[in-house]
Amino acid sequence: MLAVDLFAGAGGSTTGATQAGARVLWAANHWPAAVETHRANHPATAHACQDLHQADWGAVPDHDFLMASPACTGHTRARGREQAHHDAARSTAWAVISCAEAKRPRVLVVENVPEFRRWALYPAWRMALEALGYRLQERLINAADCGTPQSRLRLYVIGTRSRKPLLLPAPELPRVPASAIIDWSSGEWSPIERPGRSAATLARIAAGRRRFGERFAVAYYGSETGGRSLDQPLGTLTTRDRFALIDGPRMRMLSVDEMRAAMGFPPGYVLPPQRKVATHLLGNAVCPPAMQWLVERIRGKG
């Protein structure tokens, strides 16, 4: 299976597809840091750093499998108040149509947040793919059900040039607990009780301690008001530090190594040395085990 990866980011889709036996010929993203990260880990893939609205699709290698993760910032509930740049983010999804029209791959998989379906132009976007001959199936897949130690629910739109949509089963792999990826001997710890610690943080930690004891995770923002058991997968990682570990009287944020493992990337996967950049890339990425699971089932149906 020959593939290309649009909006490839840090390379989660490419990694998962490669693990499933696909060969990714070409990958593109507009952010140089993402392209360099992808290139460092997938040197056999050709790379393009460009705005895909302006892509020359004739120069893209012929392929039979198209992967794409258009920008989700215009759709996700975490985006905050509606802003002008959200329209530009949402419009990236039209690049999928342009590539599919030019190259006509046999199969395509588009990944995004579940709210993608609430986009006012989503019905038109679907109709455009159907006009190109694709039969579509929408699947909500939690990466935790694919063996990733993180609960991360995403929409996958699977298109096939076939008479009927490709119907896939739901993933049901054993869930991996967060405790499996935590190194308690590493990281920069600080006392929980120290001057300047916010009252809201202390309240969340106190609530978590009542439920889970001495060791647990706590979210710095979002809807979680208490802690999270380490016997379950972590919550969804985002593009900025979200989860802290609590160990008795001390605490620290997840390390980059732990976040990489929580996303399902292999241990040696190269990331930028700057923590902020690495965190952003990981929070935007596709979990490789989820894409691997999909590609294995798609190949099995082929």
Side-chain angles (χ1 to χ4, degrees):
M1 180 181 282
L2 302 179
V4 303
D5 192 353
L6 309 185
F7 312 101
S13 289
T14 293
T15 300
T18 300
Q19 290 170 335
R23 184 156 65 96
V24 181
L25 303 175
W26 188 85
N29 197 274
H30 71 285
W31 188 21
V35 174
E36 290 308 310
T37 299
H38 198 289
R39 180 180 286 116
N41 292 283
H42 301 282
T45 298
H47 292 84
C49 186
Q50 66 177 140
D51 176 357
L52 288 174
H53 283 119
Q54 320 236 331
D56 176 6
W57 300 112
V60 175
D62 291 336
H63 54 278
D64 48 28
F65 179 45
L66 170 62
M67 300 178 289
S69 297
C72 67
T73 50
H75 304 287
T76 178
R77 290 174 293 178
R79 73 178 185 269
R81 183 170 55 86
E82 182 72 14
Q83 298 183 47
H85 72 270
H86 292 148
D87 280 336
R90 287 188 284 261
S91 72
T92 58
W94 293 109
V96 178
I97 308 297
S98 298
C99 184
E101 181 182 18
K103 309 306 294 188
R104 303 298 174 103
R106 181 173 57 88
V107 181
L108 58 85
V109 172
V110 180
E111 179 267 356
N112 213 294
V113 293
E115 293 83 3
F116 183 45
R117 293 183 294 184
R118 300 180 187 172
W119 179 32
L121 295 179
Y122 181 71
W125 181 85
R126 272 190 59 112
M127 288 177 62
L129 284 174
E130 289 168 344
L132 293 174
Y134 290 95
R135 300 296 173 259
L136 304 179
Q137 181 195 17
E138 298 173 356
R139 291 305 305 266
L140 288 174
I141 295 176
N142 190 334
D145 295 325
C146 299
T148 304
Q150 175 191 178
S151 181
R152 189 181 188 88
L153 186 66
R154 290 294 183 264
L155 171 69
Y156 292 84
V157 180
I158 305 157
T160 53
R161 295 176 59 80
S162 56
R163 291 177 54 203
K164 296 181 180 179
L166 181 64
L167 300 179
L168 299 176
E172 295 181 342
L173 295 179
R175 291 202 164 190
V176 178
S179 59
I181 63 166
I182 294 171
D183 181 359
W184 295 102
S185 66
S186 69
E188 298 182 6
W189 296 88
S190 64
I192 293 172
E193 300 289 344
R194 73 173 188 185
R197 188 80 73 192
S198 76
T201 296
L202 292 174
R204 284 193 294 270
I205 293 172
R209 198 180 300 284
R210 288 192 294 271
R211 292 185 63 191
F212 305 116
E214 292 295 291
R215 283 184 167 180
F216 56 95
V218 65
Y220 257 60
Y221 55 89
S223 60
E224 295 183 18
T225 57
R228 176 178 283 266
S229 171
L230 298 175
D231 294 331
Q232 301 295 326
L234 282 170
T236 303
L237 299 185
T238 66
T239 56
R240 57 193 179 99
D241 278 317
R242 184 182 182 194
F243 289 104
L245 296 175
I246 307 301
D247 180 26
R250 63 180 188 161
M251 66 183 294
R252 67 168 172 84
M253 304 306 293
L254 288 175
S255 70
V256 170
D257 286 347
E258 289 162 342
M259 288 188 284
R260 174 173 50 205
M263 288 296 298
F265 281 94
Y269 204 83
V270 179
L271 293 167
Q274 304 90 345
R275 177 185 175 90
K276 185 175 181 180
V277 178
T279 301
H280 191 104
L281 284 168
L282 289 170
N284 259 346
V286 174
C287 289
M291 186 58 73
Q292 179 180 354
W293 183 91
L294 270 171
V295 174
E296 286 174 348
R297 270 80 197 158
I298 290 169
R299 295 190 74 188
K301 293 287 186 177

